[in-house]
Amino acid sequence: MNYEQYADTVLKELQHTLQAVDAQKAEAFTTMLDEADEVFCAGAGRSGFEVKGFAMRLMHMGLKSYVVGETCTPNIAKGGLLVVCSGSGATKSLVNHASKAKEVGAKVALITIDPNSPIANMADLVIEISAPSPKSAKQTDMKSIQPMGSLFEQSEGLFMDIVVMMLMARRGMDADTMFGRHANME
């Protein structure tokens, strides 16, 4: 295959996964974000990179958002929301984070491949992204030309970007209002 064929196939895979996400759950996730006192974002590996970008966009919107594990992240409390990105929904450190969040009365939203995972069983909201991954216990009929969990990781990032746009619309914001909070010490 050449570059154009790879690009076309990857775009079709992304279209399939994003259009398969439950739109009502996307709305519910947007509401959870809008109503949370603070948003804590957690993920491992490439999912961790994706959720860090999401935390940054929430900060650009003026939300109190943090990345779990960073030195300046405060404690989570009741009224807080933990957003976990985990294809397997079973990564031990993330299971521990979700357990702690529930223990203090915070809400948990999970973006995952496996809606029957340990974190899903604790979560207030589970957003399923139907993508194949060797890390997930859930088997899917979909095949991907991409290696490992790439399709899930890309899809979760795009899903979170779409939710940011939904939240922007809800709050009457545009890119110009958000840019005022962009880093100026780069």
PDB file of all heavy atoms in Angstrom, residues 126-147:
ATOM      1  N   VAL A 126     -19.680   4.903  31.286  1.00  0.00           N
ATOM      2  CA  VAL A 126     -18.714   4.177  30.470  1.00  0.00           C
ATOM      3  C   VAL A 126     -18.963   4.533  29.013  1.00  0.00           C
ATOM      4  O   VAL A 126     -20.073   4.341  28.503  1.00  0.00           O
ATOM      5  CB  VAL A 126     -18.826   2.652  30.667  1.00  0.00           C
ATOM      6  CG1 VAL A 126     -17.851   1.912  29.757  1.00  0.00           C
ATOM      7  CG2 VAL A 126     -18.600   2.278  32.123  1.00  0.00           C
ATOM      8  N   ILE A 127     -17.946   5.064  28.368  1.00  0.00           N
ATOM      9  CA  ILE A 127     -18.019   5.367  26.938  1.00  0.00           C
ATOM     10  C   ILE A 127     -17.199   4.308  26.230  1.00  0.00           C
ATOM     11  O   ILE A 127     -15.988   4.200  26.432  1.00  0.00           O
ATOM     12  CB  ILE A 127     -17.478   6.780  26.611  1.00  0.00           C
ATOM     13  CG1 ILE A 127     -18.344   7.854  27.275  1.00  0.00           C
ATOM     14  CG2 ILE A 127     -17.445   6.998  25.108  1.00  0.00           C
ATOM     15  CD1 ILE A 127     -17.696   8.490  28.446  1.00  0.00           C
ATOM     16  N   GLU A 128     -17.878   3.519  25.419  1.00  0.00           N
ATOM     17  CA  GLU A 128     -17.213   2.425  24.717  1.00  0.00           C
ATOM     18  C   GLU A 128     -16.768   2.875  23.336  1.00  0.00           C
ATOM     19  O   GLU A 128     -17.544   3.446  22.574  1.00  0.00           O
ATOM     20  CB  GLU A 128     -18.154   1.226  24.589  1.00  0.00           C
ATOM     21  CG  GLU A 128     -17.529   0.045  23.901  1.00  0.00           C
ATOM     22  CD  GLU A 128     -18.475  -1.138  23.779  1.00  0.00           C
ATOM     23  OE1 GLU A 128     -19.604  -1.086  24.292  1.00  0.00           O
ATOM     24  OE2 GLU A 128     -18.065  -2.123  23.138  1.00  0.00           O
ATOM     25  N   ILE A 129     -15.504   2.606  23.046  1.00  0.00           N
ATOM     26  CA  ILE A 129     -14.961   2.815  21.708  1.00  0.00           C
ATOM     27  C   ILE A 129     -14.614   1.435  21.165  1.00  0.00           C
ATOM     28  O   ILE A 129     -13.740   0.753  21.701  1.00  0.00           O
ATOM     29  CB  ILE A 129     -13.731   3.744  21.728  1.00  0.00           C
ATOM     30  CG1 ILE A 129     -14.177   5.147  22.170  1.00  0.00           C
ATOM     31  CG2 ILE A 129     -13.055   3.765  20.358  1.00  0.00           C
ATOM     32  CD1 ILE A 129     -13.088   6.174  22.240  1.00  0.00           C
ATOM     33  N   SER A 130     -15.335   1.017  20.147  1.00  0.00           N
ATOM     34  CA  SER A 130     -15.184  -0.331  19.591  1.00  0.00           C
ATOM     35  C   SER A 130     -13.995  -0.383  18.649  1.00  0.00           C
ATOM     36  O   SER A 130     -14.131  -0.146  17.453  1.00  0.00           O
ATOM     37  CB  SER A 130     -16.459  -0.752  18.866  1.00  0.00           C
ATOM     38  OG  SER A 130     -17.526  -0.818  19.775  1.00  0.00           O
ATOM     39  N   ALA A 131     -12.834  -0.671  19.220  1.00  0.00           N
ATOM     40  CA  ALA A 131     -11.618  -0.792  18.429  1.00  0.00           C
ATOM     41  C   ALA A 131     -10.855  -2.022  18.907  1.00  0.00           C
ATOM     42  O   ALA A 131     -10.871  -2.332  20.099  1.00  0.00           O
ATOM     43  CB  ALA A 131     -10.760   0.458  18.600  1.00  0.00           C
ATOM     44  N   PRO A 132     -10.196  -2.706  18.004  1.00  0.00           N
ATOM     45  CA  PRO A 132      -9.424  -3.875  18.424  1.00  0.00           C
ATOM     46  C   PRO A 132      -8.143  -3.456  19.146  1.00  0.00           C
ATOM     47  O   PRO A 132      -7.555  -2.427  18.839  1.00  0.00           O
ATOM     48  CB  PRO A 132      -9.098  -4.571  17.099  1.00  0.00           C
ATOM     49  CG  PRO A 132      -9.119  -3.476  16.082  1.00  0.00           C
ATOM     50  CD  PRO A 132     -10.138  -2.489  16.564  1.00  0.00           C
ATOM     51  N   SER A 133      -7.771  -4.250  20.133  1.00  0.00           N
ATOM     52  CA  SER A 133      -6.518  -4.009  20.848  1.00  0.00           C
ATOM     53  C   SER A 133      -6.077  -5.305  21.512  1.00  0.00           C
ATOM     54  O   SER A 133      -6.902  -6.004  22.102  1.00  0.00           O
ATOM     55  CB  SER A 133      -6.684  -2.922  21.913  1.00  0.00           C
ATOM     56  OG  SER A 133      -5.510  -2.827  22.709  1.00  0.00           O
ATOM     57  N   PRO A 134      -4.787  -5.614  21.452  1.00  0.00           N
ATOM     58  CA  PRO A 134      -4.313  -6.828  22.130  1.00  0.00           C
ATOM     59  C   PRO A 134      -4.378  -6.711  23.652  1.00  0.00           C
ATOM     60  O   PRO A 134      -4.285  -7.702  24.355  1.00  0.00           O
ATOM     61  CB  PRO A 134      -2.865  -6.958  21.646  1.00  0.00           C
ATOM     62  CG  PRO A 134      -2.462  -5.581  21.257  1.00  0.00           C
ATOM     63  CD  PRO A 134      -3.711  -4.916  20.759  1.00  0.00           C
ATOM     64  N   LYS A 135      -4.574  -5.488  24.178  1.00  0.00           N
ATOM     65  CA  LYS A 135      -4.613  -5.271  25.623  1.00  0.00           C
ATOM     66  C   LYS A 135      -6.005  -5.475  26.211  1.00  0.00           C
ATOM     67  O   LYS A 135      -6.161  -5.488  27.417  1.00  0.00           O
ATOM     68  CB  LYS A 135      -4.121  -3.864  25.960  1.00  0.00           C
ATOM     69  CG  LYS A 135      -2.670  -3.636  25.597  1.00  0.00           C
ATOM     70  CD  LYS A 135      -2.234  -2.242  25.956  1.00  0.00           C
ATOM     71  CE  LYS A 135      -2.689  -1.268  24.903  1.00  0.00           C
ATOM     72  NZ  LYS A 135      -2.232   0.090  25.104  1.00  0.00           N
ATOM     73  N   SER A 136      -7.015  -5.601  25.363  1.00  0.00           N
ATOM     74  CA  SER A 136      -8.385  -5.699  25.853  1.00  0.00           C
ATOM     75  C   SER A 136      -8.855  -7.146  25.868  1.00  0.00           C
ATOM     76  O   SER A 136      -8.595  -7.903  24.933  1.00  0.00           O
ATOM     77  CB  SER A 136      -9.318  -4.875  24.970  1.00  0.00           C
ATOM     78  OG  SER A 136     -10.655  -5.068  25.363  1.00  0.00           O
ATOM     79  N   ALA A 137      -9.568  -7.501  26.924  1.00  0.00           N
ATOM     80  CA  ALA A 137     -10.162  -8.835  27.006  1.00  0.00           C
ATOM     81  C   ALA A 137     -11.348  -8.957  26.054  1.00  0.00           C
ATOM     82  O   ALA A 137     -11.712 -10.052  25.646  1.00  0.00           O
ATOM     83  CB  ALA A 137     -10.607  -9.122  28.435  1.00  0.00           C
ATOM     84  N   LYS A 138     -11.953  -7.822  25.699  1.00  0.00           N
ATOM     85  CA  LYS A 138     -13.127  -7.839  24.819  1.00  0.00           C
ATOM     86  C   LYS A 138     -12.673  -8.025  23.375  1.00  0.00           C
ATOM     87  O   LYS A 138     -11.825  -7.306  22.876  1.00  0.00           O
ATOM     88  CB  LYS A 138     -13.918  -6.544  24.940  1.00  0.00           C
ATOM     89  CG  LYS A 138     -15.160  -6.567  24.071  1.00  0.00           C
ATOM     90  CD  LYS A 138     -15.988  -5.335  24.203  1.00  0.00           C
ATOM     91  CE  LYS A 138     -17.235  -5.515  23.370  1.00  0.00           C
ATOM     92  NZ  LYS A 138     -17.727  -4.318  22.803  1.00  0.00           N
ATOM     93  N   GLN A 139     -13.264  -8.978  22.718  1.00  0.00           N
ATOM     94  CA  GLN A 139     -12.969  -9.216  21.315  1.00  0.00           C
ATOM     95  C   GLN A 139     -13.968  -8.449  20.459  1.00  0.00           C
ATOM     96  O   GLN A 139     -15.131  -8.331  20.799  1.00  0.00           O
ATOM     97  CB  GLN A 139     -13.034 -10.714  21.000  1.00  0.00           C
ATOM     98  CG  GLN A 139     -12.018 -11.537  21.779  1.00  0.00           C
ATOM     99  CD  GLN A 139     -10.592 -11.095  21.527  1.00  0.00           C
ATOM    100  OE1 GLN A 139     -10.168 -10.929  20.391  1.00  0.00           O
ATOM    101  NE2 GLN A 139      -9.830 -10.877  22.598  1.00  0.00           N
ATOM    102  N   THR A 140     -13.507  -7.926  19.356  1.00  0.00           N
ATOM    103  CA  THR A 140     -14.363  -7.184  18.444  1.00  0.00           C
ATOM    104  C   THR A 140     -14.233  -7.768  17.047  1.00  0.00           C
ATOM    105  O   THR A 140     -13.201  -8.341  16.709  1.00  0.00           O
ATOM    106  CB  THR A 140     -13.997  -5.682  18.453  1.00  0.00           C
ATOM    107  OG1 THR A 140     -14.803  -4.988  17.497  1.00  0.00           O
ATOM    108  CG2 THR A 140     -12.544  -5.436  18.135  1.00  0.00           C
ATOM    109  N   ASP A 141     -15.283  -7.630  16.265  1.00  0.00           N
ATOM    110  CA  ASP A 141     -15.245  -8.121  14.889  1.00  0.00           C
ATOM    111  C   ASP A 141     -14.415  -7.209  13.996  1.00  0.00           C
ATOM    112  O   ASP A 141     -13.948  -7.621  12.947  1.00  0.00           O
ATOM    113  CB  ASP A 141     -16.665  -8.216  14.319  1.00  0.00           C
ATOM    114  CG  ASP A 141     -17.489  -9.283  15.012  1.00  0.00           C
ATOM    115  OD1 ASP A 141     -16.889 -10.236  15.554  1.00  0.00           O
ATOM    116  OD2 ASP A 141     -18.724  -9.159  15.022  1.00  0.00           O
ATOM    117  N   MET A 142     -14.233  -5.970  14.435  1.00  0.00           N
ATOM    118  CA  MET A 142     -13.504  -5.013  13.617  1.00  0.00           C
ATOM    119  C   MET A 142     -12.016  -5.351  13.596  1.00  0.00           C
ATOM    120  O   MET A 142     -11.439  -5.717  14.604  1.00  0.00           O
ATOM    121  CB  MET A 142     -13.696  -3.596  14.153  1.00  0.00           C
ATOM    122  CG  MET A 142     -13.029  -2.577  13.271  1.00  0.00           C
ATOM    123  SD  MET A 142     -13.211  -0.924  13.905  1.00  0.00           S
ATOM    124  CE  MET A 142     -12.350  -0.043  12.627  1.00  0.00           C
ATOM    125  N   LYS A 143     -11.436  -5.210  12.449  1.00  0.00           N
ATOM    126  CA  LYS A 143      -9.994  -5.385  12.292  1.00  0.00           C
ATOM    127  C   LYS A 143      -9.400  -4.028  11.912  1.00  0.00           C
ATOM    128  O   LYS A 143     -10.060  -3.186  11.326  1.00  0.00           O
ATOM    129  CB  LYS A 143      -9.683  -6.404  11.193  1.00  0.00           C
ATOM    130  CG  LYS A 143     -10.298  -7.765  11.430  1.00  0.00           C
ATOM    131  CD  LYS A 143      -9.678  -8.457  12.611  1.00  0.00           C
ATOM    132  CE  LYS A 143     -10.287  -9.825  12.813  1.00  0.00           C
ATOM    133  NZ  LYS A 143     -10.564 -10.125  14.188  1.00  0.00           N
ATOM    134  N   SER A 144      -8.148  -3.844  12.263  1.00  0.00           N
ATOM    135  CA  SER A 144      -7.461  -2.603  11.934  1.00  0.00           C
ATOM    136  C   SER A 144      -6.134  -2.933  11.279  1.00  0.00           C
ATOM    137  O   SER A 144      -5.473  -3.905  11.659  1.00  0.00           O
ATOM    138  CB  SER A 144      -7.213  -1.784  13.204  1.00  0.00           C
ATOM    139  OG  SER A 144      -6.433  -0.637  12.922  1.00  0.00           O
ATOM    140  N   ILE A 145      -5.739  -2.103  10.319  1.00  0.00           N
ATOM    141  CA  ILE A 145      -4.423  -2.284   9.712  1.00  0.00           C
ATOM    142  C   ILE A 145      -3.336  -1.696  10.616  1.00  0.00           C
ATOM    143  O   ILE A 145      -2.160  -1.956  10.424  1.00  0.00           O
ATOM    144  CB  ILE A 145      -4.327  -1.637   8.310  1.00  0.00           C
ATOM    145  CG1 ILE A 145      -4.468  -0.114   8.385  1.00  0.00           C
ATOM    146  CG2 ILE A 145      -5.324  -2.260   7.359  1.00  0.00           C
ATOM    147  CD1 ILE A 145      -4.042   0.601   7.114  1.00  0.00           C
ATOM    148  N   GLN A 146      -3.756  -0.932  11.639  1.00  0.00           N
ATOM    149  CA  GLN A 146      -2.803  -0.250  12.502  1.00  0.00           C
ATOM    150  C   GLN A 146      -2.293  -1.177  13.607  1.00  0.00           C
ATOM    151  O   GLN A 146      -3.002  -2.072  14.036  1.00  0.00           O
ATOM    152  CB  GLN A 146      -3.457   0.980  13.120  1.00  0.00           C
ATOM    153  CG  GLN A 146      -3.948   1.965  12.074  1.00  0.00           C
ATOM    154  CD  GLN A 146      -4.534   3.178  12.710  1.00  0.00           C
ATOM    155  OE1 GLN A 146      -3.828   3.959  13.333  1.00  0.00           O
ATOM    156  NE2 GLN A 146      -5.839   3.355  12.555  1.00  0.00           N
ATOM    157  N   PRO A 147      -1.078  -0.931  14.079  1.00  0.00           N
ATOM    158  CA  PRO A 147      -0.526  -1.807  15.100  1.00  0.00           C
ATOM    159  C   PRO A 147      -1.128  -1.562  16.478  1.00  0.00           C
ATOM    160  O   PRO A 147      -1.564  -0.463  16.810  1.00  0.00           O
ATOM    161  CB  PRO A 147       0.970  -1.447  15.102  1.00  0.00           C
ATOM    162  CG  PRO A 147       1.002  -0.029  14.633  1.00  0.00           C
ATOM    163  CD  PRO A 147      -0.125   0.092  13.650  1.00  0.00           C
TER     164      PRO A 147
END
